[in-house]
């Protein structure tokens, strides 16, 4: 293609993007108060929808410290984003993921999250509330094209949904997942997870990889095969009302993915 052809193609793409934004405004502007910030929020959501991915800060919302007000005695939990510049390469990204319904938590839970931040000073810490969890499910999943179909079989939106979410978030972004009420104990920035590890698990009483704490690099096969083990079991469910969570989305399919 000639240089002029490339310029024309580039101009056409820019023109198409501008036309999409103009179409958005023509569609939404008549229905909102022009003096309201309701114009900006839908536009931001629309522009996000044109992209295939979100940063972790966009996924969690990463609220500004001091911006959340909680009823006493609850305390807000905030993300901590660490600049990774100058740090040695690490196969498992320096991310810690926790999840709970919202960011207002009792003091003992807040203390547990602070312990993780202190033990891993070079790791970013991300709190995923219900909105962030739903946002992850709404992203495009080329590796799991029938994800939304299988999620219709998940009637217990607490444990079963989070079982799937924790694998998805680590599969996409990599890092450490821990239950929010865990404390790091002897685990810290330097050991036992090393810069060369691609995955790390503890084990439970039945010699299964720990579901409450694990770490993986993005797109690790354990997460991939564990998710497909879950999907297979959801597909075989005879009664949606009484699933055996341990065997459907819990430690058993996680073990299958590991082996």
């Amino acid at each position: 293609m000639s240089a002029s052809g490339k310029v024309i193609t580039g101009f056409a793409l820019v023109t198409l993007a501008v036309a999409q934004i103009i179409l958005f405004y023509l569609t939404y502007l008549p229905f909102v108060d022009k003096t309201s910030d309701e114009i900006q929020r839908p536009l931001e959501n629309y522009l996000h929808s044109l992209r295939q991915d979100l940063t972790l800060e966009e996924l969690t919302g990463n609220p500004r410290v001091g911006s959340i007000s909680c009823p006493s005695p609850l305390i807000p939990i905030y993300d901590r984003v660490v600049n990774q510049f100058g740090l040695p390469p690490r196969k498992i990204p320096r991310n810690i993921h926790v999840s709970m319904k919202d960011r207002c938590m009792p003091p003992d839970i807040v203390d547990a999250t602070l312990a993780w931040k202190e033990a891993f000073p070079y790791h970013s810490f991300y709190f995923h509330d219900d909105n962030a969890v739903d946002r992850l499910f709404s992203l495009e999943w080329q590796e799991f094209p029938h994800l939304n179909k299988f999620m219709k079989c998940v009637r217990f939106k607490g444990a079963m949904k989070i079982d799937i979410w924790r694998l998805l978030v680590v599969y996409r972004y990599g890092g450490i997942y821990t239950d929010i009420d865990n404390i790091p104990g002897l685990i810290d920035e330097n050991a036992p997870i090393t810069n060369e590890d691609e995955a790390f698990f503890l084990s439970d009483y039945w010699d299964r990889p720990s579901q409450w704490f694990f770490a993986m690099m993005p797109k690790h096969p354990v997460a991939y095969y564990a998710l497909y083990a879950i999907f297979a079991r959801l597909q075989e469910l005879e009664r949606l009302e009484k699933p055996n969570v341990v065997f459907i989305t819990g430690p058993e399919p996680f073990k299958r993915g590991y082996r």
Side-chain angles (χ1 to χ4, degrees):
M1 179 184 291
S2 67
S4 61
K6 291 180 180 179
V7 170
I8 292 172
T9 301
F11 178 78
L13 291 174
V14 171
T15 303
L16 177 60
V18 171
Q20 287 179 315
I21 293 175
I22 292 173
L23 177 61
F24 170 87
Y25 270 109
L26 291 175
T27 302
Y28 282 91
L29 209 55
F31 301 101
V32 297
D33 180 358
K34 293 182 181 180
T35 64
S36 170
D37 65 352
E38 292 178 15
I39 296 174
Q40 184 64 24
R41 289 199 302 271
L43 176 60
E44 291 174 352
N45 293 337
Y46 175 73
L47 292 176
H48 282 321
S49 73
L50 297 179
R51 296 160 44 193
Q52 293 185 352
D53 213 342
L54 297 175
T55 66
L56 277 166
E57 290 83 357
E58 291 169 331
L59 185 71
T60 65
N62 188 26
R64 177 178 51 83
V65 173
S67 63
I68 300 174
S69 178
C70 299
S72 181
L74 303 182
I75 303 171
I77 297 176
Y78 294 97
D79 295 354
R80 181 190 65 186
V81 181
V82 177
N83 189 336
Q84 306 290 315
F85 181 77
L87 294 176
R90 190 177 180 94
K91 291 185 176 179
I92 299 175
R94 294 179 174 89
N95 302 320
I96 299 175
H97 306 279
V98 299
S99 179
M100 191 55 70
K101 182 177 178 62
D102 62 55
R103 290 178 177 267
C104 293
M105 290 284 111
D108 57 332
I109 297 296
V110 176
D111 288 344
T113 63
L114 291 175
W116 285 101
K117 293 178 179 179
E118 291 170 4
F120 290 83
Y122 300 115
H123 277 59
S124 295
F125 182 94
Y126 295 102
F127 184 101
H128 302 256
D129 61 14
D130 280 359
N131 290 331
V133 169
D134 289 339
R135 203 171 290 128
L136 183 73
F137 279 101
S138 71
L139 297 180
E140 182 180 355
W141 292 93
Q142 294 182 354
E143 301 95 327
F144 313 113
H146 302 297
L147 174 63
N148 289 333
K149 171 186 171 184
F150 288 122
M151 290 306 297
K152 293 178 182 178
C153 299
V154 177
R155 302 293 293 274
F156 290 81
K157 298 300 183 183
M160 294 180 74
K161 185 176 182 179
I162 292 301
D163 284 344
I164 298 171
W165 168 84
R166 70 181 105 200
L167 287 168
L168 286 174
V169 74
V170 172
Y171 181 81
R172 193 166 197 126
Y173 296 100
I176 295 170
Y177 166 80
T178 177
D179 283 358
I180 197 169
D181 55 352
N182 287 339
I183 56 174
L186 299 177
I187 300 173
D188 62 21
E189 190 76 54
N190 302 308
I193 304 173
T194 71
N195 290 345
E196 295 304 313
D197 287 333
E198 297 181 356
F200 180 88
F201 310 89
L202 301 173
S203 60
D204 66 13
Y205 181 80
W206 292 273
D207 199 29
R208 298 175 299 203
S210 54
Q211 199 183 23
W212 66 88
F213 173 86
F214 58 86
M216 291 186 243
M217 64 188 297
K219 299 187 181 299
H220 196 278
V222 168
Y224 179 88
Y225 288 113
L227 283 162
Y228 269 102
I230 289 173
F231 299 155
R233 293 168 188 231
L234 287 172
Q235 203 165 19
E236 295 168 358
L237 268 178
E238 294 182 359
R239 297 187 62 185
L240 299 180
E241 294 79 11
K242 293 186 178 181
N244 187 328
V245 176
V246 170
F247 287 90
I248 304 301
T249 62
E252 286 298 321
F254 197 23
K255 180 178 72 174
R256 178 60 63 89
Y258 179 80
R259 291 183 176 177

